[in-house]
């Protein structure tokens, strides 16, 4: 446990649900965990008792292992009731990967915000600008020149579609202005940006529970990246504004994050995340006394060896921090003769 985590409270200690099993966290709220073949090796999913059936929140990626774990859940954990609807907090593969499979299997609708659903369809179709090769000119413009790395990025044509082979052809819309009724309780939708286009967190005041998705995680900081599809995005600014939407919630809220363990200490964690980005912004600003590209910033922010998958997020994060300072008027952007965009402090 890192020092920051020790300021949070994990009510279940080290207890984790075994594969294909669930743990009840509150009346009608169950926790399950699916594996991921990445450095981040798991995702948490939630089953909410919805009276005659269950509402599922998030799906896992489309692998045989995840399907097998779901089969165990269907056989042992549903108390003879069907899955009635499938909510996805956002469009990333670990959240929406098996949505089509779950929806078809149970004849259940997919429920998402329109922003997330649209992006899932777009990436699921590997449309130009949203595919792997679109990253090549984007990251070249920001100083990534290593031909081997660029070739690897260019080759990642099917990254999303491998993990998300299909997205349902229709959806029901989640909206902040329209709370959901789940099992006779009201769940409010809290949308957020900066990590994904219109992330939905779900808050039930009656239960004192927040399903935070990827917006508030206890151990790692949420990825805030600028990618090719929206090359001038202010992802860090958006994320920091979105974090403030969680501050009106009670401090003793039980937070159910997509990665890590359920915890209490929401305000503490928001403050830690705000401090984390403030430190990173200071670090980037200091470096920009001389002109810096996003590629120049990567080794300053990430002092370890990065594989190509990690490098895409590192480049995206470096650029997002440069953009925050640029939009704040601390940096200006200039294009070099080599065509690379660099940022430098305004004297
Ligand atoms: Zn995500």
């Amino acid at each position: 446990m890192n020092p920051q985590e020790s300021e949070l409270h994990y009510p279940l200690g080290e207890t984790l649900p075994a594969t294909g099993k669930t743990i009840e966290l509150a009346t009608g709220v169950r926790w399950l965990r699916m594996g991921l073949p990445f450095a981040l090796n798991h995702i948490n999913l939630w089953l909410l008792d919805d009276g005659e059936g269950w509402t599922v929140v998030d799906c896992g990626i489309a692998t045989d292992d995840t399907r097998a774990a779901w089969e165990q859940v269907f056989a042992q954990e549903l108390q003879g009731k069907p899955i009635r609807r499938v909510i996805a907090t956002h469009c990333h593969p670990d959240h929406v990967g098996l949505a089509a499979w779950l929806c078809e299997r149970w004849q259940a609708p997919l429920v998402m915000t329109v922003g997330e659903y649209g992006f899932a369809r777009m990436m699921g179709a590997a449309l130009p600008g949203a595919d792997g090769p679109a990253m090549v000119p984007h990251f070249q413009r920001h100083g990534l020149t290593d031909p081997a790395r660029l070739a690897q990025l260019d080759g990642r044509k099917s990254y999303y579609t491998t993990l998300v082979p299909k997205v349902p052809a229709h959806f029901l819309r989640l909206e902040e202005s329209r709370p959901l009724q789940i099992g006779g309780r009201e769940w409010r939708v809290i949308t957020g940006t900066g990590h994904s286009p219109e992330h939905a967190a779900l808050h039930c005041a009656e239960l004192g529970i927040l399903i935070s998705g990827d917006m508030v995680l206890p151990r790692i900081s949420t990825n805030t990246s600028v990618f090719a599809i929206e090359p001038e995005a202010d992802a860090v600014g958006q994320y920091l504004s979105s974090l403030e939407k969680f501050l009106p919630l009670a401090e003793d809220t039980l937070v159910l994050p997509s990665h890590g363990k359920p915890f209490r200490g929401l305000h503490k964690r928001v403050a830690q995340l705000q401090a984390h980005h403030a430190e990173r912004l200071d670090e980037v600003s200091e470096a920009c006394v001389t002109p810096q590209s996003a590629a120049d910033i990567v080794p300053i922010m990430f002092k370890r060896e990065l594989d190509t998958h990690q490098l895409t997020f590192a480049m995206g994060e470096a650029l997002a921090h440069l953009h925050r300072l640029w939009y704040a008027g601390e940096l200006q952007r200039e294009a070099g003769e080599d065509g690379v965009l660099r940022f430098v402090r305004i004297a």
Side-chain angles (χ1 to χ4, degrees), residues 112-134:
M112 284 176 94
T113 65
V114 67
E116 298 295 337
Y117 179 71
F119 256 69
R121 292 296 301 273
M122 190 170 73
M123 291 192 289
L127 291 182
D131 56 355

Side-chain angles (χ1 to χ4, degrees), residues 315-329:
M315 278 293 291
E317 285 259 356
L319 187 53
H321 285 81
L322 286 165
H323 278 183
R324 177 80 296 272
L325 295 164
W326 179 41
Y327 284 111

Side-chain angles (χ1 to χ4, degrees), residues 85-88 109-118 170-180 189 191 198 200 202:
R85 60 184 154 181
V86 176
I87 295 176
L110 174 66
V111 186
M112 284 176 94
T113 65
V114 67
E116 298 295 337
Y117 179 71
H170 44 82
F171 77 115
L172 300 180
R173 189 188 295 214
L174 277 182
E175 283 182 291
E176 204 160 55
S177 59
R178 213 162 39 161
L180 287 170
V189 179
T191 58
E198 196 186 359
L202 300 169

Side-chain angles (χ1 to χ4, degrees), residues 89-95 195-196 199 213-214 222-223 258-259:
T89 56
H90 65 296
C91 66
H92 292 162
D94 40 341
H95 301 262
H195 174 66
S196 61
H199 183 290
D214 276 355
T222 298
N223 180 267
S258 292
H259 310 285

Side-chain angles (χ1 to χ4, degrees), residues 89-235:
T89 56
H90 65 296
C91 66
H92 292 162
D94 40 341
H95 301 262
V96 84
L98 279 179
W101 180 78
L102 285 167
C103 290
E104 283 168 21
R105 169 80 177 241
W106 293 97
Q107 292 300 299
L110 174 66
V111 186
M112 284 176 94
T113 65
V114 67
E116 298 295 337
Y117 179 71
F119 256 69
R121 292 296 301 273
M122 190 170 73
M123 291 192 289
L127 291 182
D131 56 355
M135 285 198 214
V136 174
H138 175 61
F139 287 156
Q140 271 178 319
R141 204 173 303 123
H142 289 286
L144 190 70
T145 52
D146 179 356
R149 292 287 205 182
L150 292 170
Q152 279 176 313
L153 287 177
D154 196 40
R156 288 180 12 131
K157 292 186 174 62
S158 60
Y159 173 70
Y160 191 86
T161 49
T162 303
L163 304 174
V164 189
K166 192 173 173 187
V167 180
H170 44 82
F171 77 115
L172 300 180
R173 189 188 295 214
L174 277 182
E175 283 182 291
E176 204 160 55
S177 59
R178 213 162 39 161
L180 287 170
Q181 292 295 322
I182 304 174
R185 293 195 182 90
E186 184 172 287
W187 288 76
R188 203 163 58 81
V189 179
I190 302 173
T191 58
T193 53
H195 174 66
S196 61
E198 196 186 359
H199 183 290
L202 300 169
H203 178 236
C204 179
E206 190 185 332
L207 289 168
I209 285 182
L210 171 70
I211 295 177
S212 64
D214 276 355
M215 289 300 282
V216 185
L217 302 172
R219 190 185 172 84
I220 54 174
S221 66
T222 298
N223 180 267
T224 51
S225 277
V226 176
F227 289 127
I229 190 80
E230 194 187 354
E232 304 213 336
D234 180 13

